[in-house]
Amino acid sequence: MEDIILVVNCGSSSLKLAVFDSHYNKVVSALAERLSTDDAFARFAGDEAPLSLPSGASHEAALQALIDALRARGILERDPVAIGHRVVHGGETFREAALLDDDAITAIRDCSGLAPLHNPVNLSGISATRALFPDVPQVAVFDTAFHQTLPPRAFHYALPEAYYRDWAVRRYGFHGTSHYFMTQEAARLLGITPAGTSIISAHLGNGCSIAAIRDGISVDTSMGLTPLEGLVMGTRSGDVDPGLFDFLAGKGISATELHEVLNKKSGLLGLSGQSNDMRSLCELADHGHKPSELAIDVFCFRLAKYIGSMMASLTRLNALVFTGGIGGNSARVRQQTLSHLRLLGFELDPELNQCNGLYSDGRIDSEGSRFPIMVIPTNEELVIAREALRLAETSQTV
Ligand code: AMP
């Protein structure tokens, strides 16, 4: 019977579960959504019918239902050999993935102040799987860990230094697992070692971030203390003038309201007034909807500026790499973004760009381009599965 690895990703109201075999082939995956509401449901990828969940099902209840369903399908006849969890914030404590013992769990709890919406829910997934599989090694893989190599000039805000000293206010960066995977994959496709790879990695999905990776390590990134800083995103504003807070306070908008607006009602949704979904906005723009056109324009221009700014951290560039739902699929966004950067010498091949690099080892640049440009589908779950098994094996040899 195959060894299997479970990967668990708990979001604020969702839970994603993936099962890998020991060759890292994905056996099955499932998604539970609208947890803790009356409409809670779960579904295995490829299944038409959802799995019935009790009304108001919690993360723990959804996990139990999914594990029962896996057992019923004969996929989980014995315990997994390792369980990997996505954890959003590892603060300055976690520079890499960690085996989940009591000390690690306490340290993750201590980071909750930095990610109050995420770490507690990640921890509830961890305690649920620990209760279900008490003898299986469990591993946390952090969104922030890959960016712990940022040099001080890139992670400090220009704020009173006591804010950093007393409250750990600094730039952390997120999507680290994806940027790490992009580095590994770009190196493989370009035939160079990861440790010798310098790329700019643009993860553009509902959340968006960009990272400068020099010789295999992250040296700058666009997200900061929270995943709100930087690029324009589906519903998040990215960078705004901090003076906005005082200005809007004068208009009667509280910090709590503004936080909600900047996270949930801004970005592509705020600008277009229609949707946070890039594909829908492209269709609307094609039919002459001006606010959607503006939203795409602001998105691409901000991204272009950030690509330019990442150059300040690099001495050479092996490739500019795009991923995520938008980065991996939208030829239009890539083309529009790079049209702002002609001075830097990025040149797309229109046909390869249109095909998302599918038949060209990810390459979408033209012969005359100063730098390779690539599209690489990200795979954060695979990284989590690999890290889970790697650390589970070390735990057994100790
Ligand atoms: P993700 O969070 O990585 O799943 O990405 C979601 C985003 O990718 C949404 O804004 C989608 O509209 C966008 N997306 C997916 N496919 C396409 C496409 N073919 N063209 C433009 N945007 C796309």
Side-chain angles (χ1 to χ4, degrees), residues 56-105:
S58 62
H59 285 79
E60 289 85 350
L63 196 61
Q64 179 73 63
L66 288 168
I67 298 291
D68 289 345
L70 286 174
R71 288 197 171 118
R73 290 171 183 222
I75 294 173
L76 205 58
E77 282 172 355
R78 59 187 163 93
D79 283 0
V81 287
I83 302 177
H85 294 267
R86 174 183 177 222
V87 176
V88 167
H89 219 305
E92 290 188 325
T93 312
F94 295 101
R95 301 181 69 86
E96 52 186 37
L99 261 177
L100 283 164
D101 55 20
D102 291 344
D103 288 346
I105 287 174

Side-chain angles (χ1 to χ4, degrees), residues 205-206 276-279 324-326 329-330:
N206 243 325
N276 64 340
D277 186 278
M278 181 59 90
R279 203 171 359 191
I326 301 172
N329 295 302
S330 179

Side-chain angles (χ1 to χ4, degrees), residues 3 20 42 86 91-92 125 149 188 219 265 272 293 318 324 330 343 366:
D3 283 345
F20 286 83
R86 174 183 177 222
E92 290 188 325
T149 47
R188 187 181 68 77
V219 286
K265 297 183 182 162
S272 70
E293 205 174 293
N318 294 116
S330 179
L343 217 49
S366 73

